[in-house]
Amino acid sequence: PSVKPRDAKPRLLLMGLRRSGKSSIASVVFHKMPPNETLFLESTTRIQKDSIHSFMDFQVWDFPGQLEYLEPSFDLEDIFGSLGALVWVIDAQDDYLDSVARLNRTILTVQQYYPGINVEVFIHKVDGLSEEYRHDSYQDIVQRITDELNDAGYENAPVHFYLTSIYDYSVFEAFSKVIQKLIPNLSTLENLITTLGNNCGFEKTYLFDVLSKIYIASDTRPVDMAAYEMCSDYIDVIVDISELYSWDHPLRKHKGDQMQEAESHVVLHDETMLHLMEMNKYLCLVSVIRNPEAREKKGLIDMNCRTFQEALNDVFSRSWEREEDHAAE
Ligand code: GDP
């Protein structure tokens, strides 16, 4: 109850054995580090609370061998109490049995006291694996965990599996799925985005967390990775440009009031138009437009996006308030 509705962000915790890739994932997703540079990262050796100015609250906690968090000295409530999802990273290029055993123990504890937490298993570093090996490891890990859960009587525990790598978009895609489960009223948002898309002739629309470029919602049309990548890259371009021209850039003189939210569009060589509009401090809406008639109606697109923006902020303020009411009960 002490949190203001708008501050109630989805909370995520990243866990796994040392060297499994936790810091790399955090650096690539939240700090724009090029994947190759993670080779020189120092491995996490302690609980690391990384504060991130994003739509979600995200922490990397490393629990190396000597740090046994399931012992009574650790305050479980402090660790899991307000968590939305626990992301467990398994290094698929290494022997994973130890990690799977620890994960099983963790899931059983979490299920016992905090059954509402989603456990999201990232079978990670799959870039180095052959298609066949990747498939086999996935099957094997899923089997080992579901068997253990079934034995303990948790048939429908919320545990999900993803194949990830920092060398492609898979880790962003996986995070997007993880976050979407924590968004209150996701289906309302998806319907709003779908209606907007139908009215404006958008082929695909993503609502992004600008900092991480994780998408927190999209229209209900099939996922289109190429469109996602284009939109994601376009955010980078716009962020770079707006930094260059930003209000407090040392070389820039103030020229009157600035627009609150950035709006931008570009037409690519194949006539595809990308349209971007900032929604609030954290979120921005990016759409792919291929229909030539739709491209002509920029004014209509802007107007509809503004209407969507109002609806979006309304949905969020209501749903967080409701969550808060629940918390206060
Ligand atoms: P942490 O101890 O769990 O934080 O692990 P680090 O983030 O320090 O990563 C350990 C090593 O794994 C580093 O050398 C990373 O470059 C490497 N790594 C992380 N993610 C990936 C990945 O997706 N693919 C590959 N091939 N290597 C990765």
Side-chain angles (χ1 to χ4, degrees):
S2 57
V3 282
K4 290 197 206 82
R6 289 298 182 93
D7 292 344
K9 300 176 180 183
R11 254 197 81 211
L12 256 88
L13 183 60
L14 203 61
M15 274 189 185
L17 296 189
R18 188 178 286 172
R19 307 294 293 163
S20 58
K22 299 176 297 298
S23 327
S24 307
I25 294 175
S27 306
V28 169
V29 175
F30 293 97
H31 301 291
K32 287 181 182 288
M33 182 181 275
N36 284 325
E37 284 176 26
T38 64
L39 289 169
F40 314 108
L41 271 179
E42 273 186 47
S43 184
T44 359
T45 47
R46 67 203 143 83
I47 295 176
Q48 209 182 334
K49 299 195 181 186
D50 198 352
S51 72
I52 287 156
H53 302 287
S54 151
F55 173 76
M56 66 212 95
D57 177 24
F58 177 83
Q59 297 188 352
V60 183
W61 287 23
D62 187 88
F63 290 97
Q66 71 275 19
L67 242 175
E68 197 45 275
Y69 61 97
L70 299 177
E71 275 174 13
S73 59
F74 265 99
D75 184 353
L76 279 183
E77 181 62 26
D78 190 38
I79 301 176
F80 298 112
S82 59
L83 207 62
L86 167 65
V87 178
W88 188 282
V89 184
I90 297 179
D91 181 348
Q93 291 190 9
D94 198 12
D95 176 13
Y96 51 72
L97 292 184
D98 183 30
S99 181
V100 169
R102 279 165 193 269
L103 170 57
N104 275 333
R105 269 162 52 209
T106 309
I107 298 178
L108 294 184
T109 310
V110 169
Q111 275 301 304
Q112 209 175 330
Y113 299 108
Y114 306 100
I117 297 173
N118 293 326
V119 179
E120 313 282 7
V121 184
F122 283 15
I123 301 171
H124 190 57
K125 306 194 193 178
V126 291
D127 49 277
L129 307 180
S130 71
E131 197 62 50
E132 199 188 344
Y133 191 83
R134 203 183 277 204
H135 179 76
D136 291 349
S137 311
Y138 182 86
Q139 294 292 339
D140 186 44
I141 292 172
V142 172
Q143 194 66 45
R144 283 172 192 278
I145 292 167
T146 30
D147 283 353
E148 182 88 11
L149 280 169
N150 289 347
D151 287 349
Y154 298 116
E155 267 92 13
N156 297 312
V159 183
H160 306 93
F161 301 87
Y162 310 82
L163 291 163
T164 57
S165 162
I166 53 168
Y167 288 97
D168 56 36
Y169 285 87
S170 58
V171 72
F172 292 92
E173 175 75 12
F175 258 117
S176 301
K177 298 261 168 61
V178 168
I179 285 296
Q180 286 171 20
K181 290 189 206 136
L182 306 179
I183 307 280
N185 296 337
L186 177 68
S187 59
T188 312
L189 270 187
E190 287 176 341
N191 289 338
L192 280 171
I193 298 177
T194 307
T195 311
L196 173 75
N198 290 342
N199 289 340
C200 298
F202 294 162
E203 191 163 291
K204 189 73 197 163
T205 303
Y206 290 99
L207 181 62
F208 277 94
D209 174 44
V210 175
L211 184 110
S212 63
K213 293 187 292 159
I214 287 165
Y215 69 95
I216 67 156
S218 172
D219 51 67
T220 48
R221 295 185 195 97
V223 173
D224 176 345
M225 270 322 262
Y228 168 79
E229 290 171 22
M230 261 195 304
C231 293
S232 164
D233 289 346
Y234 191 47
I235 293 181
D236 279 344
V237 173
I238 297 306
V239 166
D240 287 349
I241 293 181
S242 38
E243 270 167 17
L244 204 59
Y245 290 97
S246 93
W247 190 236
D248 38 41
H249 191 276
L251 297 176
R252 185 162 186 264
K253 297 227 168 63
H254 293 189
K255 285 197 184 122
D257 287 344
Q258 273 198 325
M259 255 178 30
Q260 270 233 306
E261 286 97 12
E263 181 278 319
S264 162
H265 67 279
V266 64
V267 179
L268 306 177
H269 57 88
D270 66 351
E271 308 271 283
T272 303
M273 181 162 132
L274 297 176
H275 180 271
L276 175 150
M277 195 180 275
E278 257 182 322
M279 293 284 120
N280 58 35
K281 200 165 131 198
Y282 303 120
L283 302 177
C284 101
L285 189 76
V286 193
S287 309
V288 178
I289 304 151
R290 290 219 167 85
N291 176 344
E293 274 173 46
R295 278 200 305 265
E296 305 298 311
K297 300 186 178 135
K298 250 291 270 132
L300 187 71
I301 292 176
D302 284 348
M303 193 189 77
N304 282 332
C305 286
R306 289 269 172 250
T307 312
F308 171 79
Q309 177 185 26
E310 282 167 28
L312 170 81
N313 289 324
D314 199 37
V315 168
F316 275 129
S317 57
R318 276 172 206 230
S319 45
W320 295 140
E321 267 165 34
R322 209 168 308 134
E323 297 251 306
E324 199 196 22
D325 289 346
H326 282 311
E329 275 164 15

